[in-house]
C-alpha cells in the first residue's frame, strides 16, 4: 500500500469509516436520508445544526441512528458578536428587497439563531461520534466535555493560522476549506472572508505541513479526480457538499438541483447578499443585483438573513432560482443525480483507480 492510501486507511480506521468520503454539514440541506445513505456506503454522514433547536438536534441523530450503524458528524457555528444595527440602513435594504418578493416586515431583521449553549448541550446529549465547528473554535470547557464523552472534534479552517490554532485547542482533525466551497465561508474573522480567500490546491499542502493532526480537504471536490488530488496533496479524506446535492436523498428543491448541473465555475459568486456572512452561491439575478455598486450594503449576520427570509421562501415555494438561496461550490456542474450511496462508493472507486 502506498503512502497516500495508507494515510487514508489510517483515517478510516480511526474514525470508523470504510471510505474517506465525508458529507459536508450543510445547514438546511442535510436531511437524515442523505446522511443515512452516505454512512451506509461507508462514508461519514453530516448535519449542519446551525438553525436547529435542541429537540431537532436529538431527533436528527435518532433518525440517522435508526437508519444506519455508520458514523456521522454534527456541526455548529461559533456565534458571531452581536450585530451592530442601523435602522435607517435596514429600511433601505427592506425597500430594495421588496423588489424581489413580498414587502419585508419592519421587525424582520430581529431574527436570532437558536441558543448556542443549549445547542452544545444537545450535542453532548446526542453523543455523535464526531462534532465539528465552523466560524471559530469551541470554548475550552466544551472541548474538555467532548473529550470526556469520547466525542471527536473536527475544526473547519480556511487558513494556516486557523489550522494551527485548532490543533493547539485540541482538535482531532482539521477540515481545510478552500475558497471553491459552496455555502458560507468558514473564516474565524467574518471581516476577512473575502480578502483571505485561498484555493484548495494551495491550502491543503500548507495546512498539512503546519499541523500533525489529520487534514480533511473540502471545497470544489465533486468527483474521483478531486478526491485523488486532495489525497495526493496530503489530505487524509475528502469532504463533499455540493457534489451530493443532486442526489435524491438530499431532497433539494428541483429548480436548485437542476441549476447546479448548468453552473460553470465562473457561474458562482461569493457575497453577503443572503445572510450577511460571505458565502458562495449560484450568481443569480438577485445576487448580481445585490452586489451591484448601487445596491445597499448587506446588513451583518443574522440581520440580513432575517431581512431576506421572505424572498428566499418565495423563491423556494415558486421554484424561482433567481430568488432562491442556491448555495453552490465551483464544481457544481460535476454533481450527479444518482443515489447518494452509489455516488459515495463511485467517488472512492474512481479515486482509488487514479491513486493506484
Amino acid at each position: 500500500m502506498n503512502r497516500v492510501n495508507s494515510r487514508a486507511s489510517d483515517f478510516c480506521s480511526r474514525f470508523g469509516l470504510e471510505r474517506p468520503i465525508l458529507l459536508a454539514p450543510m445547514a438546511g440541506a442535510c436531511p437524515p436520508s442523505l446522511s443515512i445513505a452516505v454512512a451506509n456506503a461507508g462514508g461519514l454522514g453530516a448535519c449542519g445544526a446551525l438553525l436547529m433547536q435542541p429537540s431537532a438536534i436529538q431527533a436528527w441523530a435518532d433518525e440517522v441512528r435508526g437508519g444506519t450503524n455508520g458514523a456521522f458528524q454534527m456541526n455548529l457555528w461559533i456565534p458571531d458578536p452581536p450585530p451592530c444595527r442601523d435602522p435607517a440602513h435596514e429600511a433601505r435594504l427592506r425597500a430594495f428587497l421588496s423588489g424581489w418578493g413580498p414587502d419585508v416586515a419592519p421587525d424582520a431583521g430581529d431574527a436570532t439563531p437558536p441558543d448556542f449553549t443549549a445547542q452544545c448541550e444537545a450535542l453532548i446529549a446526542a453523543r455523535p461520534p464526531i462534532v465539528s465547528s465552523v466560524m471559530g473554535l469551541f470554548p475550552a470547557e466544551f472541548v474538555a466535555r467532548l473529550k470526556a464523552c469520547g466525542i471527536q472534534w473536527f475544526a473547519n479552517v480556511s487558513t494556516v493560522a486557523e489550522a494551527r490554532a485548532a490543533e493547539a485547542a485540541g482538535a482531532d482533525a482539521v477540515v481545510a476549506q478552500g475558497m471553491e466551497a459552496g455555502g458560507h465561508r468558514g473564516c474565524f474573522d467574518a471581516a476577512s472572508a473575502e480578502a483571505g480567500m485561498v484555493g484548495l490546491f494551495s491550502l491543503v499542502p500548507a495546512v498539512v505541513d503546519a499541523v500533525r493532526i489529520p487534514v480533511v480537504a473540502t471545497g470544489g471536490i465533486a468527483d474521483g479526480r478531486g478526491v485523488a488530488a486532495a489525497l495526493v496533496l496530503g489530505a487524509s479524506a475528502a469532504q463533499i457538499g455540493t457534489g451530493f446535492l443532486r442526489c435524491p436523498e438530499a431532497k433539494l428543491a428541483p429548480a436548485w438541483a437542476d441549476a447546479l448541473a448548468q453552473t460553470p465555475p465562473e457561474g458562482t459568486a461569493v457575497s453577503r447578499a443572503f445572510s450577511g456572512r460571505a458565502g458562495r452561491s449560484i450568481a443569480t439575478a438577485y445576487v448580481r443585483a445585490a452586489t451591484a455598486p448601487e445596491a445597499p450594503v448587506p446588513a451583518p449576520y443574522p440581520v440580513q438573513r432575517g431581512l431576506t427570509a421572505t424572498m428566499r421562501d418565495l423563491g423556494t415555494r415558486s421554484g424561482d432560482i433567481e430568488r432562491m438561496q442556491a448555495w453552490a461550490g465551483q464544481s457544481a456542474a460535476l454533481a450527479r443525480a444518482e443515489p447518494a450511496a452509489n455516488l459515495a462508493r463511485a467517488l472512492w472507486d474512481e479515486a482509488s483507480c487514479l491513486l493506484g
Side-chain angles (χ1 to χ4, degrees):
M1 182 182 294
N2 62 41
R3 186 166 63 178
V4 173
N5 284 324
S6 177
R7 185 171 60 248
S9 178
D10 289 345
F11 181 90
C12 290
S13 296
R14 177 175 176 182
F15 297 109
L17 309 177
E18 296 175 20
R19 294 173 173 82
I21 303 296
L22 284 60
L23 175 65
M26 301 171 285
C30 277
S33 53
L34 184 56
S35 284
I36 289 169
V38 172
N40 281 337
L44 185 74
C47 174
L50 165 67
L51 305 176
M52 297 168 67
Q53 295 292 342
S55 59
I57 289 173
Q58 185 65 59
W60 189 97
D62 290 344
E63 185 171 346
V64 170
R65 285 195 171 102
T68 181
N69 291 321
F72 58 91
Q73 62 168 311
M74 303 191 79
N75 174 273
L76 283 182
W77 281 34
I78 306 305
D80 288 334
C84 295
R85 304 289 297 271
D86 182 341
H89 185 66
E90 289 177 29
R92 290 192 291 273
L93 282 164
R94 293 199 306 272
F96 172 77
L97 289 164
S98 68
W100 292 91
D103 288 343
V104 180
D107 63 349
D110 297 342
T112 56
D115 182 77
F116 177 71
T117 300
Q119 288 180 314
C120 288
E121 292 299 325
L123 290 188
I124 294 291
R127 292 289 201 279
I130 299 165
V131 163
S132 60
S133 58
V134 67
M135 311 300 187
L137 302 174
F138 285 127
E141 58 272 20
F142 183 64
V143 174
R145 293 181 66 193
L146 291 175
K147 304 282 187 183
C149 293
I151 300 172
Q152 307 279 345
W153 171 32
F154 288 8
N156 194 97
V157 302
S158 59
T159 67
V160 171
E162 291 176 356
R164 288 184 172 134
E167 181 179 42
D172 296 289
V174 290
V175 181
Q177 183 197 52
M179 68 176 182
E180 303 91 337
H184 286 101
R185 301 255 311 128
C187 306
F188 292 8
D189 176 15
S192 65
E194 291 103 331
M197 293 200 292
V198 180
L200 196 67
F201 265 42
S202 295
L203 183 62
V204 168
V207 171
V208 167
D209 290 348
V211 300
R212 298 180 300 277
I213 55 179
V215 176
V216 176
T218 192
I221 302 173
D223 65 5
R225 293 173 296 179
V227 174
L231 268 61
V232 169
L233 290 172
S236 296
Q239 181 171 279
I240 298 166
T242 307
F244 278 110
L245 285 182
R246 296 188 67 217
C247 298
E249 297 90 346
K251 302 179 181 179
L252 209 66
W256 182 1
D258 292 344
L260 292 174
Q262 308 300 321
T263 300
E266 65 272 22
T268 68
V270 173
S271 77
R272 299 174 184 258
F274 291 111
S275 72
R277 262 276 192 173
R280 185 176 295 280
S281 70
I282 296 174
T284 61
Y286 164 70
V287 170
R288 295 194 299 273
T291 55
E294 65 273 15
V297 175
Y301 179 88
V303 178
Q304 182 76 6
R305 187 177 188 281
L307 295 174
T308 62
T310 54
M311 177 199 68
R312 293 184 284 108
D313 291 345
L314 174 65
T316 300
R317 291 197 310 272
S318 63
D320 182 359
I321 190 65
E322 304 301 340
R323 291 168 170 80
M324 292 173 64
Q325 182 178 271
W327 299 127
Q330 288 190 311
S331 295
L334 296 178
R336 307 177 203 172
E338 61 183 70
N342 293 356
L343 178 57
R345 295 186 186 101
L347 289 167
W348 183 235
D349 289 348
E350 294 164 8
S352 295
C353 287
L354 293 169
L355 293 170

